[in-house]
Amino acid sequence: MKVNTRCITLLMLLFPACLWAQNKGKHTVAGTVKDKSSGETLIGASVSLLELPGAGALTNAYGFYSLTAPDGSYHLLVSFSGYATDTVEVALNKDLSQNVSLSSGKELQEVVVSAVRNNKNLTQALMGVQKLSTAEIKNVPVLFGEKDILKTIQLLPGIESAGDGNSGFFVRGGAADQNLILLDEATVYNPSHLLGFFSTFNSDAIKDVTVYKGEMPAEYGGRLSSVLDVKMNDGNDQHFVVTGGLGLIASHLNLEGPIKKNKGSFSISARRTYADLFLKLSHDTTLKNSSLYFYDLNLKADYSLGEHDKVYLSGYLGKDVLGLKNQFGINWGNATATFRWNHIFNNRLFSNTSIIYSNYNYNIGISSNNDNITIASKIIDWHFKEDLQYYFGPRSTLHFGVDVIHHTLNPGVIDASESSSFNGLDLQNKYSLESAAYLSHEWKPLDHWNITYGARLSVFDVLGPGNFYSYDSAGNATDTATYTSGKIVKSYVNLEPRFSTSYQLSEASSIKAAYARNVQNLHLLSNSTSNNPTDLWIPSSPIVKPEIADQVSLGYFRNFNDNAYEFSAEVYYKFLQNQIDYKNGAQLVANQNVESELLFGSGRAYGLELFLKKKVGKLTGWVSYTLSKSEIKIPGINNGTYFPSRQDEPNVISIVGMYKASKKWTFSANWVYNTGYPVTWPSGKYDVNGQPVYLYTSRNGYRMPAYHRLDLGATVITRKTKNTETSWTFSVYNAYDRLNAYTITFREDPNDPTQTQAMKTALFGIIPSVTFNFKF
């Protein structure tokens, strides 16, 4: 892989900043914070020196921390939500390594562990950040009783569901493809199973979930609206543990244990649905010979090579298979692999080097009479990332690195049998190199003031081999340019500045402001109302320019009752450039000249997000409300004026509650409401030779009916000892059986041809489920 020299040059210019002088009379204590019972590193644990107010830090994505202070004796205070706080005496007369292991509430059995009521939400400079704990994900009731990350984050402010049976989501008015979804740093292009009924993320394998809504750190790039960063469990390096669950349509199993105690561990998680097994019981031969299932497998291992080096190897494999006898079949899936090497150069400089592979593909088979057709497409990424963190002291941390991705996009291959009336087609591959160098500085100039600023220099090179076309205003090809392998067809260079700050008004409140520019060079083409496995990804090209978003935001944050409650109010405005839409009747699939079907314009999105969360006590949960607007303006559509985008849902409300009634029983519920999304419906009709022809006057001029739903859940622990636990989880999806519209179509009234009927299709009514869970 050829690393872009411009990014390397920038990194070389930035790196000397790390060599700023070591302060005389000061020393550094650094180390890793872990779970005592499993050896799992803890992300975001708070580490501070009691004798120095304001001298604190949070552990990074690998549990590493670093604190620098004047010579002296101190008490190192380490805390993490749900764990017993630990205090360690340290004498800073030289640089020290100090690892800390915390005991969780489960390990302490009857000892009450108070949740650490930190005020991180007030002090951190970043805005629009949401984190979910595994306990919250576990207790929120969702479809079929399966714990689901993607469905749970849609209950947070500023994040809207794309609808029933759809794992896509919209963040602050952005389209579904404007979300970067990462699993152990690997890009997941289609995060859905069974056309969106499930997500690709098996919660048994998940350690940490963080969502950045626009103002993401400089290390992230490539999407406009958000980053969903999901990290898998490392595994248990102390003892073997088996957990799992048996549900009505799916089961899952997780196995983890030490490779070598205190040195390395592994984790294996598997999940499969078995709706296809019930089809075998049908007397209908078509159903009996049909397929309907998915499976996924998460694997991870880590090993410490010494005090300063640790390596990780993780992977994911998921596949969906849907087939109607031997007449039609579709399968799609993701495969990822990540190799990471953590290296501690010294107590101040931490490095993570990653090599990442990602593969998304789908295959469609159609058999009818003499026609046997196969359609296939895939995306393959090879990704190298070098990320470094330099800790100047408790008030100053530098993040910098390089990020290089080689994309290979195969838009489609159509194979047809010799007897078929269709011709085969092999669309040319599209190659590109996406490179970036980034620098970000976290700075605390005063005890009550935090600033994070930086920039990302992104370079996107469109590469040969291939033919590249020019088109006239009617979409006809007028010229063809041919490039050989490795030749640069077009380069786009963009500087993406990022800035955010928080200012504490008091111990219980703060205000924040942020600005960020994000650039996107991979674009999803879909003219359907939901995300499909066959949606087409294309890279920027001489015709398709990078999408650009500039977002500004302002927020007020306040905690109550010793940080037991969190409240926030955020407003944002986002201006979007080079947005993509389609000509009426555009053909996107298997089209060599798909760029001739595209239209380009601008967009804007703005809104208000309110969030109230209760973190401790028997009753926990949150209430969120989003008031927003998302519009797009495309020359040639709606007379060139702004019109609502597909993701424009002005009012979204979510209420989530979890109640710990006793040591055995936990109850949960959530209620959601959102305004119906915009759709294009006919405004009238006329008759042509006895056939009705519908008249469409405006794009997205109507709305679907409002959507609302209540889900209920309960978990009872039937057996619990030191090493074993069994429980039952009961849930009811759509408890009051609301028939929310999935689609609305139109037809002539069979009793009066002059009238038109609107036909509503609802996907789900009330759905109960039950799952048996075990751990030993």
Side-chain angles (χ1 to χ4, degrees):
M1 186 187 305
K2 183 179 179 180
V3 178
N4 195 292
T5 56
R6 283 166 287 196
C7 292
I8 295 296
T9 301
L10 179 61
L11 181 63
M12 292 174 66
L13 292 174
L14 298 177
F15 187 79
C18 292
L19 304 180
W20 291 351
Q22 301 279 340
N23 297 321
K24 292 183 178 180
K26 291 188 176 183
H27 288 97
T28 302
V29 56
T32 302
V33 180
K34 296 183 177 183
D35 181 306
K36 185 177 181 180
S37 64
S38 68
E40 190 87 35
T41 56
L42 300 178
I43 301 173
S46 176
V47 185
S48 60
L49 299 173
L50 287 179
E51 289 78 6
L52 292 179
L58 299 175
T59 56
N60 68 8
Y62 304 95
F64 179 81
Y65 75 92
S66 175
L67 284 174
T68 300
D71 291 353
S73 297
Y74 299 95
H75 288 84
L76 187 72
L77 179 68
V78 185
S79 59
F80 191 71
S81 181
Y83 286 71
T85 299
D86 194 9
T87 303
V88 180
E89 293 185 10
V90 293
L92 280 186
N93 49 28
K94 62 179 181 178
D95 288 349
L96 297 176
S97 293
Q98 181 64 61
N99 297 327
V100 180
S101 295
L102 299 183
S103 299
S104 67
K106 292 181 180 179
E107 183 182 0
L108 296 177
Q109 297 295 324
E110 299 302 322
V111 178
V112 177
V113 179
S114 300
V116 178
R117 303 181 185 184
N118 62 65
N119 63 347
K120 182 170 58 176
N121 63 311
L122 302 179
T123 58
Q124 67 178 2
L126 287 175
M127 287 184 62
V129 181
Q130 299 282 354
K131 289 185 73 72
L132 283 174
S133 69
T134 53
E136 289 170 331
I137 296 170
K138 177 181 178 180
N139 288 322
V140 173
V142 293
L143 182 63
F144 300 125
E146 283 289 304
K147 297 173 286 186
D148 196 307
I149 291 173
L150 293 188
K151 295 295 189 295
T152 304
I153 67 169
Q154 293 166 19
L155 302 172
L156 299 172
I159 304 176
E160 302 171 1
S161 169
D164 274 339
N166 198 325
S167 62
F169 58 96
F170 310 132
V171 177
R172 291 187 170 179
D177 70 312
Q178 294 175 0
N179 306 309
L180 178 63
I181 301 174
L182 301 174
L183 179 62
D184 270 5
E185 299 187 278
T187 302
V188 178
Y189 284 95
N190 187 338
S192 68
H193 282 308
L194 294 185
L195 300 173
F197 298 139
F198 298 86
S199 80
T200 58
F201 301 114
N202 181 352
S203 294
D204 285 348
I206 301 308
K207 171 182 180 178
D208 184 78
V209 180
T210 305
V211 185
Y212 300 93
K213 297 181 292 186
E215 286 94 10
M216 65 262 316
E219 65 185 271
Y220 299 105
R223 298 295 187 273
L224 298 189
S225 293
S226 76
V227 175
L228 175 62
D229 191 355
V230 181
K231 292 181 171 58
M232 294 199 301
N233 287 325
D234 297 336
N236 194 313
D237 69 3
Q238 299 299 305
H239 50 268
F240 290 95
V241 178
V242 178
T243 59
L246 303 173
L248 293 178
I249 68 167
S251 292
H252 51 92
L253 182 69
N254 180 75
L255 173 65
E256 56 184 293
I259 297 174
K260 184 177 182 181
K261 194 170 183 179
N262 297 319
K263 292 280 287 184
S265 63
F266 73 90
S267 176
I268 303 173
S269 296
R271 180 174 56 158
R272 193 191 191 279
T273 58
Y274 30 76
D276 55 313
L277 300 181
F278 294 105
L279 297 179
K280 303 297 182 185
L281 303 177
S282 174
H283 296 293
D284 187 315
T285 56
T286 299
L287 290 177
K288 190 172 184 178
N289 293 292
S290 295
S291 302
L292 178 64
Y293 68 90
F294 77 79
Y295 66 85
D296 52 33
L297 182 67
N298 294 76
L299 304 167
K300 191 167 184 178
D302 65 84
Y303 198 83
S304 295
L305 302 178
E307 185 178 353
H308 299 292
D309 296 279
K310 188 171 186 177
V311 292
Y312 301 81
L313 182 63
S314 60
Y316 169 82
L317 177 64
K319 200 74 173 178
D320 283 73
V321 178
L322 281 75
L324 184 61
K325 203 175 180 181
N326 58 355
Q327 302 168 9
F328 173 82
I330 177 173
N331 63 77
W332 71 93
N334 295 277
T336 71
T338 304
F339 171 78
R340 289 183 288 186
W341 169 39
N342 287 176
H343 178 65
I344 302 173
F345 288 95
N346 53 54
N347 280 4
R348 296 193 181 200
L349 182 59
F350 179 91
S351 164
N352 176 66
T353 305
S354 302
I355 299 175
I356 307 155
Y357 171 80
S358 176
N359 184 326
Y360 169 68
N361 63 84
Y362 70 80
N363 290 272
I364 301 173
I366 303 172
S367 180
S368 176
N369 299 323
N370 294 325
D371 293 324
N372 293 296
I373 302 171
T374 302
I375 305 172
S377 179
K378 63 183 176 182
I379 304 172
I380 296 177
D381 286 351
W382 283 100
H383 185 179
F384 170 81
K385 186 174 183 180
E386 176 64 37
D387 183 68
L388 299 108
Q389 299 170 32
Y390 188 82
Y391 299 84
F392 294 110
R395 295 179 180 269
S396 181
T397 304
L398 194 70
H399 298 255
F400 58 103
V402 293
D403 194 357
V404 183
I405 310 175
H406 185 273
H407 302 287
T408 302
L409 284 77
N410 183 336
V413 175
I414 301 178
D415 289 327
S417 62
E418 293 182 359
S419 60
S420 175
S421 58
F422 296 93
N423 296 322
L425 178 66
D426 189 354
L427 300 182
Q428 68 180 26
N429 287 349
K430 298 180 182 294
Y431 302 95
S432 56
L433 187 67
E434 189 168 14
S435 311
Y438 57 89
L439 171 71
S440 179
H441 184 207
E442 295 179 15
W443 181 37
K444 188 173 185 177
L446 300 172
D447 286 346
H448 51 275
W449 189 16
N450 287 272
I451 299 173
T452 298
Y453 64 92
R456 181 181 181 90
L457 180 65
S458 61
V459 182
F460 190 84
D461 292 319
V462 183
L463 303 177
N467 297 320
F468 295 83
Y469 303 96
S470 299
Y471 302 95
D472 60 21
S473 58
N476 300 310
T478 59
D479 191 22
T480 304
T482 301
Y483 291 82
T484 57
S485 178
K487 291 293 184 180
I488 296 178
V489 181
K490 178 75 174 179
S491 291
Y492 292 102
V493 181
N494 285 283
L495 183 65
E496 305 173 43
R498 314 275 172 89
F499 173 84
S500 57
T501 182
S502 67
Y503 186 88
Q504 273 193 264
L505 303 173
S506 67
E507 290 188 357
S509 64
S510 68
I511 56 174
K512 298 184 183 183
Y515 163 76
R517 165 167 283 202
N518 296 307
V519 176
Q520 180 165 334
N521 282 291
L522 294 183
H523 320 279
L524 184 66
L525 304 185
S526 174
N527 52 10
S528 66
T529 57
S530 62
N531 294 339
N532 296 310
T534 56
D535 289 343
L536 177 67
W537 286 89
I538 64 168
S540 294
S541 70
I543 292 176
V544 182
K545 294 180 173 58
E547 299 177 72
I548 300 175
D550 291 278
Q551 178 174 285
V552 293
S553 55
L554 182 68
Y556 174 74
F557 298 77
R558 183 173 178 82
N559 289 357
F560 303 91
N561 193 21
D562 193 23
N563 298 318
Y565 294 83
E566 294 180 3
F567 170 78
S568 64
E570 298 184 46
V571 293
Y572 66 90
Y573 187 95
K574 185 191 301 183
F575 178 70
L576 303 157
Q577 304 177 49
N578 304 326
Q579 297 300 282
I580 300 174
D581 212 309
Y582 319 102
K583 297 178 180 178
N584 292 328
Q587 172 60 40
L588 303 182
V589 179
N591 185 350
Q592 183 71 59
N593 299 305
V594 68
E595 291 181 347
S596 68
E597 304 277 8
L598 307 182
L599 300 173
F600 307 96
S602 59
R604 62 189 182 190
Y606 47 92
L608 164 69
E609 299 169 4
L610 302 177
F611 185 59
L612 177 63
K613 183 176 184 179
K614 185 175 186 291
K615 301 190 294 182
V616 297
K618 285 191 172 183
L619 176 64
T620 59
W622 66 84
V623 179
S624 73
Y625 171 67
T626 304
L627 174 66
S628 62
K629 190 70 177 174
S630 177
E631 299 176 306
I632 190 171
K633 181 168 66 174
I634 306 291
I637 299 179
N638 288 11
N639 298 317
T641 60
Y642 277 107
F643 62 93
S645 66
R646 160 63 179 86
Q647 53 270 18
D648 180 53
E649 298 176 6
N651 295 279
V652 180
I653 303 171
S654 298
I655 302 174
V656 179
M658 291 158 279
Y659 182 71
K660 182 73 173 175
S662 66
K663 292 181 180 179
K664 289 187 175 183
W665 282 95
T666 300
F667 298 94
S668 59
N670 61 261
W671 183 79
V672 295
Y673 170 92
N674 61 266
T675 309
Y677 59 82
V679 290
T680 302
W681 283 337
S683 301
K685 68 176 181 179
Y686 51 92
D687 183 86
V688 177
N689 297 326
Q691 296 296 322
V693 177
Y694 291 104
L695 174 65
Y696 296 86
T697 58
S698 63
R699 185 81 62 92
N700 289 352
Y702 298 87
R703 286 190 180 274
M704 294 288 282
Y707 179 102
H708 53 89
R709 188 190 76 243
L710 173 68
D711 305 327
L712 303 173
T715 297
V716 56
I717 298 174
T718 53
R719 175 182 172 83
K720 185 174 183 178
T721 66
K722 182 179 180 179
N723 297 317
T724 65
E725 181 177 314
T726 59
S727 65
W728 290 87
T729 297
F730 307 93
S731 66
V732 180
Y733 182 87
N734 196 6
Y736 53 75
D737 200 26
R738 161 81 174 180
L739 297 180
N740 290 293
Y742 179 66
T743 61
I744 294 181
T745 56
F746 298 88
R747 70 175 189 182
E748 281 191 350
D749 187 335
N751 300 318
D752 184 358
T754 64
Q755 300 296 314
T756 300
Q757 290 181 333
M759 308 297 295
K760 182 180 79 170
T761 299
L763 201 57
F764 298 121
I766 184 171
I767 300 179
S769 62
V770 59
T771 302
F772 173 70
N773 309 292
F774 57 88
K775 177 181 179 180
F776 58 87

